[in-house]
Amino acid sequence: MLPHRYCKFHFNTLRGCERSQCKFAHVPEQGDEKVCMDVFKKYISINELCLLQRAVNTFMDYYRKFPPGIHFDLQVLNDLLNSLLKHCLLKEVFQVVNLSIMVKMLPALKILLKIFEHVATMKLRNAVPALIDIFCKFVEAGMVFDPEHFNYIVKLLYQLQASQQEITAVLEMKSRLRMRQFKKNWKCDLDSALNEIEHCKEKGDWTKLGNLYINIKMGCENFADFQRFCACIAETLTKDCKEERPGVPFCEFAETVSKDPQISEVDKTLLGRIGISAMYFYHKLLLWSKGRKVLDKLYELKIHFTSLKGLTGPEKLAPRCQIVNIAAEIFLKSGSLDGAIWVLRESEWIISTPLWPCDRLDVLNRHNLLCTIAHEILAKSLYRQTFEVLQNLPGFQNSQETVEVSQYSLLFNKLLDACIESNSLGMSSSVAEFMISQNIPIDFSFLRRLITSLGRSCLWLKARAHYKMINGCLGVDIHIYSEMFCHLRPVRRLCLEKIFPPWFRNSSRALSGAEAVNALRPFYFAVHPDFFGQHPREREVNENSLKRLSVYLENLQKPGFKSLKPTQLTFYVRETEQNSSEGQEPFSTSGFRAVKFTLHTRDLLSTVLYILNSCSLSVEHIQSLNNNVHSQPLKEAKRMSDRPIKWDKSYYYFTGFRDPHEDLEQVSRMETTLTSWLDNNGKSAVKKLKNSLPLRKELDRLKDDLSHQLQLSDIRWQRSWGIAHRCSQLHSLGRLVQQNLEILKNAKGCTIIFTDRSGMSAVGHVMLGTMDVHHHWTKLFERLPSYFDLQRRLMLLEDQISYLLGGIQVVYIEELQPVLTLEEYYSLLDVFYNRLLKNRIPFHPRSLRGLQMILNSDRYAPSLHELGHFNIPTLCDPANLQWFILTKAQQARDNMKRKEELKVIENELIQASTKKFSLEKFYKEPSVSSKQMVDCCKRLLEQSLPYLQGMHLCISHFYSVMQDGDLCIPWNWKDGEAIK
């Protein structure tokens, strides 16, 4: 089907579009190559002269702009050229062939021979020069010709009475091909090449050595031999160095190799490894200037050497940390601070990781190197760069070496002092926050100076944040700062008065557990899961987040706790009177919004305030609580108990606040139990089910008839449409069968799924879009043979990926992955396969057999699913992927084993439940896991539920009676005893 944005007169009529200015496109846009191919096929099948010329114009306009993609069909190109030759459109033939050579999509050899035959038959002597030019381009592009082909072409040229010069040009191409083969045999002689290396070394001719590398690279077929050859070059470039010679052999050699127009990433990698060997050599001799020239050349050629290793000597086994240390030291010793920092950034400051382990000596060297760099940069007042260097000292990364970071206190305090002295308040704040977060001892005199400076600059919120950080994270008693407050100078006192509200400045004790629960009642009322019955995903998120919040609050109240890990929480907050004011984040149409925040507090009061402010809920009731408690003298306040405050109802009447006790009672009254819900809805479900029985029988009859007629494997629906809707869709398909039975028989053995769009799914099911008309469905059934061919290619691609990854099975799980068409899934696999080919991962063959993986395009890090399969991102780093799969393989096998065991238990419980309650049908939604289903069935079997006899029961995430009488209940339903 032609997309709406294209001109239907131009593409679908013989006369074409006659408008002078048409608002619709006459040339397919980028990404619509499939439309292009379909248009060419149609024009070729019609075989009209004007349409073929239009096809040529479309071909030229499209492929001049966009390169060929996955939908490019070489057979279509050959058919188009054949049709043009039949209509004697030789000019158009030459245009298409020249462009196809430019985009590196060569037509078949037989097409070229047919062009020669056509020119000879028509005796078109004037076309010979253009024909010779095309022939030479074919040879240069890599097309292979046999001697018989050359003889046949020369014979045709003699028939055309071509000049001797033109015939000589063809014979020269034949000689050139022979010479290329001869050179290939000669260049593969490794012994001759090694002798030539010695000759270059004696004469000091490093340019000739570079040319020798290029020649050997073009001819050598054994990569192991080529690596041996490169190792000899590395040894030659680092032997018998004489300091008085100003030149650097590696630089001359690399410059020559880089001028090769066919230089590849493999060449750059080998140059990088040779350069590392040269760098080690000059570092050993303390020749810093020559080592610097090697590094400058690698930078100039854009070679990322920090992830490579040397070719010879100790650098061949050197860890990444050591290589980066040596490169940074060379830059530092040669006077380039920027170069040293560039190397460290290029390596992402990596010290020691499981993939790049290093020795303790390398870690110590990195520590000394960074400290030296930090001192030199700080002396130049470059505070941001100094902070970056200090943040990457050993101990702050996920390093295998355990380093006590408190030893860096002197360095960080020195940086903090310098930042405050220069009034760099933003950088000072960042340094202070980092020190507190990493438990690095901080000089409190510097911190007081920072807060004072922030106050003088009217940065009250920032100063308040630092004060909270001191009180919350370092465990400093607020009485110390209250005493300090009294002795501060007027400016500092004004600063603190601006920073803190009176109720916070006057507070002298923390909230108790009971007070914290009371203070959070508006929050609990806004996020309680029972108010999200019709939104199962949001309900589950709130349930899990409330559990984690409860654990966090309990840990805060434990005596003697030191620190808590930051806890990130997500809640869906209902619209209430408190949070519906203007200026807040808008609510969704469902009446709730998502709120994310991270808890990193150390007392209940700051935790409660942070939660309420994050959810845009009022904190006035906490202020009232504090004012009430602390308005009494200090001695009286100490005698007060920590009991929760329960205000009289008149308080809520006059202030307008909501009574949290009343809200909680309302929530309890609204709690739904399975028995009460069945009592209220059982009769209506029975009535709906009884009314739907005739339609259900009709649906079964239609499915059986169509499955038998078309020999289908199954007919399914992707969405939960009603029975009447499904019957109408089958009637529509039945009418199409009566009109085009032979075409629809292409679907033999397939599964048909009624969904939102037409096409073939990633698993090979025929998808019929319910919004499409019969014409679209017919076109789909006509294209099924080509889809089957693509499906076979897809299965082959899956096998190839499986082979590269040690036998792991590539699967597509419909319940867990987004709905993809066959073309989309093939493109996803193709991208992943090409990445694997570029970065081969050394898995042992068949070592991962029995494991499964799925591909995801919306993730960036691999993960292991609880069902046992790996979630692999399409753009995943192959090295990280190898490490992740190998470390998680046994866990994956255990998960798969548990999944199978759980599936058996689930099926047994479903059968037992169906039998006990005499259910007509018992099933679950795909989003309900086997573990949840098992838990639900076990609890159901303990109940007596007469209402379920003869019913259709679906386990879901919420209560509902479907329009055809199916009962939906949540898997975590509650009974009366649980509520009590």
Side-chain angles (χ1 to χ4, degrees):
M1 177 182 175
L2 192 68
H4 296 300
R5 60 182 177 277
Y6 295 130
C7 179
K8 62 182 180 180
F9 297 102
H10 177 79
F11 288 100
N12 294 338
T13 63
L14 285 172
R15 296 177 62 182
C17 180
E18 298 179 350
R19 302 182 193 136
S20 58
Q21 290 183 344
C22 182
K23 65 179 182 179
F24 296 97
H26 288 193
V27 179
E29 299 172 357
Q30 188 174 13
D32 281 345
E33 188 180 39
K34 190 173 185 301
V35 174
C36 218
M37 289 294 123
D38 292 340
V39 168
F40 293 158
K41 290 177 184 177
K42 182 167 68 175
Y43 287 175
I44 293 168
S45 62
I46 297 173
N47 202 27
E48 286 289 335
L49 181 65
C50 61
L51 292 181
L52 291 174
Q53 290 175 330
R54 199 179 303 168
V56 171
N57 294 334
T58 304
F59 182 93
M60 300 297 291
D61 291 339
Y62 183 86
Y63 287 107
R64 277 172 182 163
K65 296 179 181 178
F66 314 118
I70 60 172
H71 295 291
F72 183 88
D73 193 340
L74 199 57
Q75 186 58 45
V76 174
L77 175 62
N78 293 332
D79 294 341
L80 176 61
L81 291 171
N82 266 327
S83 300
L84 293 174
L85 284 173
K86 290 178 182 177
H87 285 79
C88 299
L89 299 174
L90 193 60
K91 177 183 176 183
E92 286 76 5
V93 169
F94 285 165
Q95 289 177 345
V96 173
V97 169
N98 277 311
L99 184 58
S100 65
I101 294 172
M102 287 178 60
V103 299
K104 299 180 180 179
M105 287 294 177
L106 301 181
L109 176 59
K110 62 181 181 181
I111 297 296
L112 179 64
L113 296 177
K114 283 186 178 181
I115 297 174
F116 271 94
E117 291 172 356
H118 176 81
V119 172
T121 304
M122 303 299 293
K123 297 182 180 180
L124 303 175
R125 176 67 184 80
N126 294 334
V128 171
L131 196 58
I132 298 295
D133 182 62
I134 287 177
F135 169 78
C136 293
K137 288 179 179 178
F138 268 76
V139 175
E140 293 296 337
M143 182 169 280
V144 179
F145 290 85
D146 293 330
E148 303 83 57
H149 299 143
F150 280 99
N151 296 336
Y152 184 60
I153 290 172
V154 171
K155 178 183 175 182
L156 294 175
L157 289 175
Y158 276 118
Q159 291 181 14
L160 284 166
Q161 297 180 352
S163 66
Q164 190 61 39
Q165 183 180 0
E166 292 166 338
I167 295 175
T168 303
V170 174
L171 295 176
E172 281 180 357
M173 297 305 296
K174 182 178 180 181
S175 301
R176 188 182 301 180
L177 284 176
R178 285 183 178 178
M179 184 59 67
R180 187 182 298 172
Q181 186 64 36
F182 173 77
K183 286 183 178 180
K184 181 178 180 181
N185 296 333
W186 175 79
K187 289 167 186 170
C188 286
D189 187 354
L190 187 61
D191 294 332
S192 300
L194 296 178
N195 293 331
E196 190 68 17
I197 290 177
E198 290 297 321
H199 182 70
C200 294
K201 175 188 171 184
E202 291 173 2
K203 291 191 172 183
D205 191 350
W206 311 118
T207 301
K208 185 176 181 181
L209 184 61
N211 290 323
L212 177 64
Y213 171 94
I214 295 173
N215 292 333
I216 293 296
K217 175 195 70 171
M218 293 176 59
C220 188
E221 295 180 347
N222 190 326
F223 188 73
D225 288 342
F226 187 57
Q227 273 196 314
R228 179 184 160 200
F229 169 76
C230 293
C232 293
I233 290 180
E235 291 178 355
T236 301
L237 294 174
T238 57
K239 274 186 180 180
D240 300 329
C241 174
K242 295 183 179 179
E243 190 173 350
E244 61 271 10
R245 289 185 180 179
V248 178
F250 171 79
C251 295
E252 297 180 35
F253 167 77
E255 182 66 22
T256 305
V257 174
S258 66
K259 292 179 181 178
D260 179 20
Q262 296 182 355
I263 188 170
S264 64
E265 288 299 319
V266 175
D267 296 320
K268 289 187 175 182
T269 299
L270 290 170
L271 279 178
R273 297 186 68 182
I274 295 171
I276 289 173
S277 297
M279 180 184 73
Y280 265 71
F281 176 73
Y282 293 126
H283 178 270
K284 183 179 179 181
L285 298 178
L286 306 182
L287 299 176
W288 310 118
S289 60
K290 290 193 174 184
R292 168 80 178 275
K293 289 179 181 179
V294 172
L295 293 171
D296 287 342
K297 179 57 67 176
L298 293 174
Y299 175 81
E300 178 186 338
L301 299 179
K302 297 180 180 179
I303 297 174
H304 305 288
F305 68 94
T306 59
S307 58
L308 303 175
K309 294 187 178 183
L311 275 174
T312 60
E315 61 269 23
K316 189 175 182 180
L317 303 174
R320 188 177 185 182
C321 177
Q322 185 183 113
I323 292 173
V324 174
N325 288 348
I326 288 178
E329 187 180 358
I330 288 174
F331 273 119
L332 201 60
K333 295 291 186 181
S334 60
S336 176
L337 264 177
D338 292 337
I341 295 176
W342 168 78
V343 169
L344 292 163
R345 286 174 179 163
E346 181 76 5
S347 67
E348 300 176 340
W349 305 89
I350 286 176
I351 298 177
S352 181
T353 64
L355 285 175
W356 300 94
C358 65
D359 300 328
R360 293 183 63 87
L361 182 60
D362 295 321
V363 177
L364 180 62
N365 290 336
R366 174 63 62 87
H367 169 272
N368 296 337
L369 178 68
L370 293 182
C371 289
T372 303
I373 293 174
H375 281 295
E376 292 194 23
I377 298 177
L378 186 58
K380 297 182 178 181
S381 300
L382 300 174
Y383 305 124
R384 191 170 299 279
Q385 290 90 328
T386 306
F387 185 41
E388 181 185 7
V389 171
L390 294 182
Q391 280 178 302
N392 290 284
L393 282 164
F396 294 130
Q397 298 186 9
N398 295 326
S399 173
Q400 292 179 325
E401 297 292 335
T402 304
V403 179
E404 183 56 47
V405 297
S406 60
Q407 63 177 306
Y408 304 136
S409 175
L410 185 63
L411 282 170
F412 277 94
N413 278 304
K414 186 176 181 181
L415 172 61
L416 181 60
D417 184 27
C419 292
I420 297 172
E421 193 68 29
S422 64
N423 204 33
S424 301
L425 298 183
M427 183 51 58
S428 303
S429 298
S430 299
V431 174
E433 290 170 2
F434 182 81
M435 292 178 70
I436 292 172
S437 66
Q438 298 293 335
N439 294 323
I440 300 174
I442 189 169
D443 191 327
F444 274 59
S445 63
F446 295 159
L447 209 51
R448 284 195 294 271
R449 285 168 55 199
L450 174 59
I451 293 176
T452 303
S453 300
L454 290 170
R456 283 174 174 164
S457 302
C458 298
L459 299 173
W460 311 115
L461 292 178
K462 198 70 177 174
R464 179 179 181 177
H466 282 296
Y467 190 95
K468 280 185 174 182
M469 205 179 301
I470 299 167
N471 183 41
C473 296
L474 295 182
V476 179
D477 190 349
I478 196 167
H479 290 296
I480 296 175
Y481 278 85
S482 299
E483 185 179 354
M484 181 190 79
F485 179 85
C486 300
H487 295 90
L488 287 176
R489 295 177 183 175
V491 174
R492 296 184 182 178
R493 191 177 305 155
L494 174 64
C495 169
L496 288 184
E497 286 175 352
K498 290 283 187 181
I499 294 171
F500 304 105
W503 62 269
F504 187 86
R505 292 199 302 270
N506 297 331
S507 63
S508 62
R509 71 172 179 88
L511 289 181
S512 67
E515 287 173 335
V517 172
N518 276 337
L520 285 175
R521 285 192 174 185
F523 164 77
Y524 290 138
F525 183 71
V527 301
H528 200 283
D530 286 350
F531 291 112
F532 294 79
Q534 297 298 321
H535 307 283
R537 188 175 72 86
E538 289 77 7
R539 176 191 178 102
E540 186 173 355
V541 169
N542 281 9
E543 284 179 346
N544 294 332
S545 296
L546 282 173
K547 291 176 184 176
R548 296 175 63 199
L549 175 60
S550 178
V551 173
Y552 189 93
L553 294 175
E554 288 175 5
N555 289 335
L556 279 178
Q557 299 173 64
K558 291 179 180 178
F561 79 96
K562 292 185 178 180
S563 62
L564 292 177
K565 292 183 178 179
T567 302
Q568 186 173 10
L569 300 174
T570 301
F571 286 100
Y572 288 91
V573 183
R574 293 188 306 114
E575 182 176 12
T576 63
E577 292 180 4
Q578 288 194 33
N579 60 14
S580 60
S581 60
E582 296 181 0
Q584 302 297 339
E585 183 180 344
F587 289 86
S588 67
T589 56
S590 302
F592 54 80
R593 59 186 170 87
V595 175
K596 294 182 179 180
F597 53 85
T598 302
L599 293 178
H600 195 193
T601 50
R602 284 181 56 91
D603 63 87
L604 285 175
L605 177 59
S606 57
T607 303
V608 170
L609 289 171
Y610 186 73
I611 292 172
L612 294 175
N613 285 323
S614 298
C615 298
S616 303
L617 295 171
S618 174
V619 296
E620 293 179 4
H621 59 293
I622 303 179
Q623 298 179 24
S624 303
L625 182 147
N626 276 273
N627 287 332
N628 183 69
V629 173
H630 303 297
S631 60
Q632 306 296 328
L634 184 60
K635 292 181 180 179
E636 183 180 349
K638 289 182 179 179
R639 292 196 299 268
M640 293 179 64
S641 64
D642 286 346
R643 64 177 180 84
I645 297 176
K646 185 172 182 179
W647 300 100
D648 187 80
K649 290 190 179 296
S650 60
Y651 167 77
Y652 299 107
Y653 176 77
F654 285 106
T655 61
F657 295 140
R658 297 181 69 91
D659 186 352
H661 297 281
E662 185 178 334
D663 291 339
L664 287 179
E665 290 174 6
Q666 184 181 356
V667 169
S668 300
R669 288 196 299 270
M670 294 175 63
E671 191 80 56
T672 303
T673 65
L674 177 60
T675 308
S676 64
W677 187 82
L678 288 176
D679 288 341
N680 295 330
N681 297 277
K683 292 182 180 179
S684 64
V686 171
K687 184 178 178 181
K688 289 182 178 180
L689 180 60
K690 186 176 180 181
N691 293 336
S692 70
L693 289 178
L695 276 176
R696 291 180 185 273
K697 292 180 180 178
E698 175 68 6
L699 180 68
D700 291 339
R701 184 190 66 80
L702 290 171
K703 278 186 66 176
D704 292 341
D705 290 348
L706 287 171
S707 297
H708 179 72
Q709 266 187 297
L710 301 177
Q711 298 181 342
L712 300 175
S713 175
D714 192 11
I715 298 177
R716 289 162 31 193
W717 285 263
Q718 188 182 25
R719 296 173 57 185
S720 302
W721 283 301
I723 303 297
H725 196 170
R726 296 186 181 193
C727 286
S728 68
Q729 291 165 354
L730 291 183
H731 279 299
S732 180
L733 181 60
R735 289 192 296 272
L736 184 61
V737 170
Q738 294 175 2
Q739 299 168 5
N740 300 286
L741 178 60
E742 292 303 319
I743 295 177
L744 267 68
K745 282 186 176 180
N746 287 336
K748 178 181 178 181
C750 294
T751 295
I752 287 181
I753 300 180
F754 288 95
T755 181
D756 294 327
R757 57 174 174 167
S758 297
M760 180 168 277
S761 72
V763 292
H765 299 330
V766 179
M767 301 189 300
L768 298 182
T770 56
M771 301 300 292
D772 293 339
V773 295
H774 280 182
H775 172 72
H776 301 143
W777 288 4
T778 305
K779 289 291 184 183
L780 171 62
F781 283 105
E782 288 176 350
R783 293 199 302 269
L784 282 183
S786 63
Y787 276 120
F788 295 148
D789 180 59
L790 181 59
Q791 189 179 16
R792 285 190 289 270
R793 288 159 55 194
L794 184 144
M795 294 170 66
L796 178 61
L797 195 56
E798 287 180 336
D799 292 340
Q800 291 171 332
I801 294 174
S802 175
Y803 176 76
L804 292 176
L805 295 180
I808 190 171
Q809 184 184 5
V810 184
V811 296
Y812 179 87
I813 304 176
E814 293 179 272
E815 296 81 4
L816 300 178
Q817 293 183 257
V819 179
L820 297 177
T821 62
L822 197 65
E823 299 98 321
E824 292 169 343
Y825 189 48
Y826 182 85
S827 177
L828 198 67
L829 289 171
D830 188 53
V831 170
F832 184 67
Y833 176 66
N834 289 328
R835 286 180 65 84
L836 288 180
L837 284 182
K838 290 180 181 178
N839 303 277
R840 282 292 184 97
I841 306 177
F843 280 110
H844 190 278
R846 297 182 297 279
S847 61
L848 300 177
R849 290 186 67 180
L851 297 180
Q852 294 179 338
M853 61 165 278
I854 64 175
L855 274 180
N856 275 317
S857 59
D858 57 347
R859 298 176 63 92
Y860 293 95
S863 63
L864 177 62
H865 196 272
E866 62 179 1
L867 298 181
H869 60 266
F870 289 96
N871 283 318
I872 305 301
T874 312
L875 303 178
C876 179
D877 178 52
N880 292 337
L881 175 62
Q882 179 191 16
W883 178 257
F884 182 81
I885 291 179
L886 291 178
T887 55
K888 298 288 185 179
Q890 188 55 46
Q891 185 181 346
R893 296 186 192 277
D894 295 340
N895 287 1
M896 292 184 71
K897 184 178 179 181
R898 281 197 300 271
K899 178 186 73 172
E900 297 300 326
E901 294 172 351
L902 206 59
K903 196 68 179 175
V904 173
I905 297 173
E906 178 187 5
N907 292 333
E908 291 175 352
L909 289 173
I910 289 175
Q911 293 176 9
S913 301
T914 305
K915 183 177 180 181
K916 176 178 178 178
F917 300 114
S918 302
L919 292 168
E920 184 68 24
K921 185 178 181 182
F922 186 33
Y923 61 103
K924 69 171 184 176
E925 287 189 348
S927 59
V928 177
S929 67
S930 295
K931 185 177 180 181
Q932 293 169 339
M933 188 67 174
V934 167
D935 177 64
C936 176
C937 291
K938 285 181 178 179
R939 293 167 56 233
L940 275 177
L941 289 170
E942 297 172 357
Q943 304 291 318
S944 177
L945 303 169
Y947 274 126
L948 296 181
Q949 185 173 357
M951 298 302 293
H952 291 233
L953 182 62
C954 173
I955 304 303
S956 176
H957 293 276
F958 53 87
Y959 289 104
S960 177
V961 177
M962 307 299 286
Q963 60 184 345
D964 298 305
D966 287 30
L967 287 169
C968 290
I969 65 172
W971 68 270
N972 55 345
W973 53 268
K974 295 179 175 61
D975 56 16
E977 294 180 1
I979 298 299
K980 294 175 185 177

